[in-house]
Amino acid sequence: MDTVTAGLAKDAQKAGERVGLKADSIVIEGGKPLRGRIEVRGAKNLATKAMVASLLGDTPSLLQDVPEISDVDVVSRMLDAYGVAVTSPAPGELLLDPVNVARSHFETIDALAGSSRIPILFCGPLLHRLGEALIPDLGGCRIGDRPIDFHMDALRAFGAIVDKSYEGIRITAPDGLRGANIELPFPSVGATEQVLLTAVKAKGVTELKNAAIEPEIMDLIAVLQKMGAIIWTEANRTIFIEGVDQLSGYTHRAISDRNEAASWAAAALVTRGDIFVGGAKQQDLMTFLNVFRKVGGAFDVREDGIRFWHPGGALKPVQVETDVHPGFMTDWQQPLIVALTQAEGVSVVHETVYENRFGFTDALNDMGADIVVHRDGLESVTRRVPRRKLEQAAVVTGPTRCTAPRCGCRTSAAASATSSPPSQRRGVRA
Ligand code: UD1
């Protein structure tokens, strides 16, 4: 185990034993700078999609650097329900054998899918393999309504028939799937993956406009190319896919998780620590690194990872707007806001990808942060990307001294400490 994890695990275990918490609780004793080395794991946003892609192959696939997360468990169980044999030949590896793929039932799928949204990506591969896909009542983390209209419209464009019933959504393709010209209303990551996973075996060429081009999408394209797919990208978010009749399995190491890397970077900043994140990739973190530097963080890019540290002195406030890649990723704003609670002055973070992604600020305010969420954004701020009307803004005033919240946990060690008490301006503005 690496230094950071070992330290956290030991402290958490001791604190947990003292307060009698269950094994699945996490106890954090704050007030200490985090120092040490940690290896970033394979990306959550690639691993699960690559697992689904294995359904398209005629032979087994081997995925390496698979993170131990609940979405991976959900997808493993879903694949198993469809007859894919999922085994782990070595730690962090999954062998996925799709030779005996077979139909499943709504009840099984519903029970297994839980709150994950990944099951929707089974549609294309299942339509190719079985001529039918069943979609459960979709969950996902609570960050807005998270509709699936782009997915369903894309599947219809390929020639699929979408039937909604009280059990869920049944999708069939009695005449097979044909390549299509699709333009997404927004560069959705999931909908782009849906199109890729469907188009690779559809008859003819698919042109996808306004596609998402996140690094995990490019890694999924790499997986599909290894399997035998023909895919190329052009300027202006356009992806072409030429359908092929047959795909084989792949061997692939997942791209490293840039959200995990950004979280460790923010942890180094907020605890005035020094963390080497093994496996972190500069190319995938460029936009984050610019903001990290503007806030006052220091980093050093090395061949095997990136060292992030607090160089001393005061942190500076910033204005940030989340966006699709290559913009500032929506998943980075949460760890960034934690760090911004320690910056001197007022920071503004605009969320433009999801309509409701500041729920976590309540917990930070409980700990002493000063964050006001403006549900309709801030009119005075000019929008760089006037793409959609989802403009929540979080205004973070710092630095504030953060301490453990009084509810739920009996430990009370101080977290990262600085000066003034939180003002009265916390909470939500409509
Ligand atoms: C993925 C990532 C998530 C990341 C997000 C944006 C995974 C497992 N999750 O989620 O970590 O925050 O990309 O980078 O890869 N939308 C529609 N209709 C649709 C689909 C999406 O309106 O049919 C909207 C969503 O409500 C949201 C926006 O498009 O407002 C972006 O969603 P999308 O890019 O699809 O996110 P996910 O693929 O679900």
Side-chain angles (χ1 to χ4, degrees):
M1 194 184 287
D2 42 68
T3 328
V4 177
T5 322
L8 285 176
K10 215 167 82 208
D11 289 353
Q13 196 189 342
K14 274 195 284 179
E17 280 163 11
R18 274 204 304 283
V19 297
L21 283 175
K22 285 186 271 163
D24 60 356
S25 302
I26 296 175
V27 181
I28 299 154
E29 288 208 17
K32 296 175 199 157
L34 287 182
R35 296 180 194 283
R37 181 185 169 111
I38 185 136
E39 296 305 315
V40 72
R41 299 175 297 179
K44 160 184 94 78
N45 290 357
L46 177 275
T48 44
K49 328 299 173 63
M51 291 171 72
V52 177
S54 72
L55 265 170
L56 290 160
D58 291 345
T59 52
S61 292
L62 179 68
L63 184 61
Q64 295 158 320
D65 250 354
V66 183
E68 279 180 49
I69 53 171
S70 60
D71 268 343
V72 166
D73 289 342
V74 169
V75 177
S76 296
R77 286 197 294 266
M78 290 269 303
L79 287 169
D80 179 69
Y82 280 110
V84 177
V86 184
T87 51
S88 179
E93 287 191 358
L94 284 183
L95 185 64
L96 309 140
D97 186 346
V99 174
N100 296 316
V101 168
R103 285 177 185 237
S104 192
H105 309 281
F106 263 127
E107 309 78 66
T108 315
I109 302 307
D110 236 356
L112 294 175
S115 64
S116 173
R117 272 174 67 85
I118 314 289
I120 194 179
L121 295 177
F122 279 66
C123 290
L126 287 176
L127 287 172
H128 287 302
R129 286 297 293 253
L130 304 169
E132 178 192 71
L134 308 177
I135 302 301
D137 193 11
L138 281 166
C141 49
R142 301 179 68 177
I143 48 176
D145 290 342
R146 306 195 83 183
I148 56 168
D149 49 339
F150 304 166
H151 295 253
M152 294 303 120
D153 289 347
L155 289 165
R156 285 191 192 98
F158 283 107
I161 295 170
V162 178
D163 286 318
K164 295 183 183 166
S165 73
Y166 72 96
E167 288 176 302
I169 305 173
R170 182 186 303 273
I171 302 162
T172 50
D175 301 326
L177 298 168
R178 298 174 307 277
N181 291 333
I182 298 167
E183 177 162 2
L184 295 177
F186 179 80
S188 149
V189 168
T192 299
E193 292 159 343
Q194 182 77 263
V195 171
L196 288 169
L197 290 165
T198 307
V200 282
K201 282 185 84 178
K203 289 250 172 300
V205 175
T206 294
E207 178 180 2
L208 176 64
K209 287 188 182 156
N210 207 22
I213 50 167
E214 267 63 7
E216 295 79 17
I217 299 266
M218 294 302 146
D219 208 34
L220 180 62
I221 291 177
V223 168
L224 293 167
Q225 189 178 49
K226 284 178 177 176
M227 298 176 80
I230 300 173
I231 304 171
W232 65 101
T233 56
E234 290 190 358
N236 297 330
R237 301 186 171 278
T238 304
I239 302 179
F240 289 90
I241 306 113
E242 191 175 314
V244 296
D245 290 337
Q246 206 185 355
L247 295 171
S248 58
Y250 62 82
T251 296
H252 190 78
R253 184 171 293 281
I255 187 177
S256 68
D257 198 309
R258 60 201 172 106
N259 300 342
E260 206 171 280
S263 302
W264 286 116
L269 211 50
V270 76
T271 66
R272 304 182 82 84
D274 188 339
I275 303 178
F276 183 83
V277 185
K281 295 266 183 306
Q282 181 187 17
Q283 285 82 346
D284 301 337
L285 285 161
M286 282 198 161
T287 314
F288 177 83
L289 292 174
N290 285 335
V291 174
F292 187 81
R293 178 168 276 159
K294 282 192 199 171
V295 174
F299 62 87
D300 181 23
V301 179
R302 301 196 195 145
E303 215 161 273
D304 58 340
I306 305 178
R307 176 187 163 208
F308 296 95
W309 75 97
H310 189 309
L315 297 180
K316 292 175 281 248
V318 285
Q319 284 212 12
V320 174
E321 186 177 299
T322 65
D323 199 355
V324 293
H325 189 76
F328 191 90
M329 192 186 184
T330 165
D331 299 34
W332 292 334
Q333 54 95 341
Q334 301 86 340
L336 176 74
I337 283 179
V338 175
L340 291 178
T341 64
Q342 302 311 310
E344 249 177 45
V346 180
S347 298
V348 180
V349 178
H350 258 96
E351 172 58 55
T352 77
V353 177
Y354 287 108
E355 52 273 65
N356 177 19
R357 216 178 198 188
F358 285 129
F360 68 98
T361 58
D362 290 345
L364 288 177
N365 282 338
D366 281 348
M367 297 173 74
D370 182 351
I371 305 169
V372 180
V373 174
H374 296 257
R375 292 239 180 268
D376 297 321
L378 293 172
E379 299 230 334
S380 56
V381 178
T382 314
R383 314 282 307 114
R384 186 170 62 80
V385 189
R387 205 182 268 134
R388 325 171 73 206
K389 214 191 160 317
L390 304 175
E391 297 182 357
Q392 279 206 326
V395 177
V396 188
T397 306
T400 49
R401 185 172 191 275
C402 291
T403 54
R406 303 206 184 288
C407 55
C409 174
R410 281 178 280 149
T411 53
S412 62
S416 49
T418 47
S419 55
S420 61
S423 75
Q424 301 303 305
R425 301 196 313 107
R426 291 191 220 140
V428 173
R429 295 263 163 87

